[in-house]
Amino acid sequence: MIAFLKGRLVHREPTHVIIDVNGIGYLVTISLQTFSEIKEQENILLHTHLAIREDAHVLFGFSNESEKRLFQQLITVNGVGPSTAIVMLSYMNSSELKTAIVQEDAGALQRIKGIGGKTAQRVIIDLKDKLKKESWEESQPAISIGTNNTLRKEALSALLTLGLPKAAAEKSVDAVLKKSGNTLTLEDLVKQALKNS
């Protein structure tokens, strides 16, 4: 509902901040990771997640999108609520936490206050493959730069409309772009991608 807040930092503590956005003060719960990244900035932007409980609406804030995404993945795990996820992100930074999950290091997770053996195992089982896939995608070279990006998007859209599965369409378009670069028209790119798939 509230994707981000951009405003003046009026109060800062290791667990929360208050941001003045056009005269309204938002109390935002943060992790130690975000606390150390925002330091003494006067104007800040925090990516936020709104958790609605019976007794309260709580805003959680993150200094970057990747921490917010990891938080949102953690709260999908049975037994991990928003408060526990923030504690996890305070004990370890995002990359340490991802590494512990991907390497199935239940011991590292159990050192976090409030995380027992069962919860650690559930986090690993539920998130290991998702995080592996994400880090693989992030490590892939971005072939789609500049003009290529628009061309790629339009070609993908056309191929999906033609009924190609998303993964196959992406693989095929990227292969054609790698070979031919920006020399293709949209029509040629779609035709060649269809031949490849």
Side-chain angles (χ1 to χ4, degrees):
M1 186 180 155
I2 300 172
F4 68 85
L5 290 175
K6 186 179 183 182
R8 193 167 59 84
L9 183 61
V10 290
H11 182 77
R12 171 180 170 270
E13 283 187 35
T15 54
H16 67 273
V17 291
I18 296 174
I19 303 174
D20 176 343
V21 182
N22 297 327
I24 299 172
Y26 289 90
L27 176 74
V28 186
T29 301
I30 58 168
S31 67
L32 280 175
Q33 190 178 160
T34 290
F35 177 75
S36 63
E37 282 186 33
I38 58 178
K39 297 187 176 68
E40 295 297 332
Q41 295 173 25
E42 192 181 339
N43 293 308
I44 65 167
L45 183 144
L46 286 184
H47 301 276
T48 55
H49 174 90
L50 178 63
I52 298 174
R53 300 197 313 244
E54 272 180 35
D55 57 342
H57 289 199
V58 185
L59 262 178
F60 293 89
F62 311 91
S63 59
N64 58 60
E65 279 281 8
S66 98
E67 188 190 2
K68 176 181 171 177
R69 191 165 56 244
L70 184 53
F71 169 86
Q72 289 174 326
Q73 288 169 326
L74 287 167
I75 61 176
T76 63
V77 177
N78 192 7
V80 178
S83 301
T84 305
I86 280 289
V87 169
M88 293 173 83
L89 288 162
S90 293
Y91 266 75
M92 298 181 186
N93 67 35
S94 299
S95 60
E96 291 167 342
L97 195 49
K98 283 179 182 176
T99 303
I101 295 167
V102 168
Q103 293 179 351
E104 300 183 41
D105 187 350
L109 295 177
Q110 282 175 256
R111 285 194 283 276
I112 299 170
K113 183 178 174 286
I115 300 291
K118 277 185 182 171
T119 307
Q121 284 304 327
R122 268 201 302 267
V123 168
I124 290 167
I125 290 164
D126 289 3
L127 300 183
K128 184 182 70 175
D129 293 339
K130 282 181 195 166
L131 294 176
K132 265 188 193 165
K133 183 173 183 272
E134 254 178 40
S135 62
W136 181 83
E137 282 170 359
E138 283 164 15
S139 68
Q140 293 306 300
I143 337 165
S144 48
I145 300 159
T147 344
N148 249 358
N149 204 7
T150 318
L151 191 63
R152 182 179 184 273
K153 262 190 193 151
E154 290 173 350
L156 280 175
S157 170
L159 291 168
L160 294 176
T161 308
L162 292 169
L164 239 71
K166 190 167 187 260
E170 284 178 342
K171 192 177 170 190
S172 187
V173 166
D174 288 345
V176 175
L177 282 172
K178 209 172 195 174
K179 224 180 346 186
S180 325
N182 274 344
T183 53
L184 289 172
T185 64
L186 176 61
E187 193 181 347
D188 288 340
L189 175 56
V190 172
K191 279 181 186 167
Q192 287 192 35
L194 278 170
K195 276 183 203 160
N196 279 5
S197 59

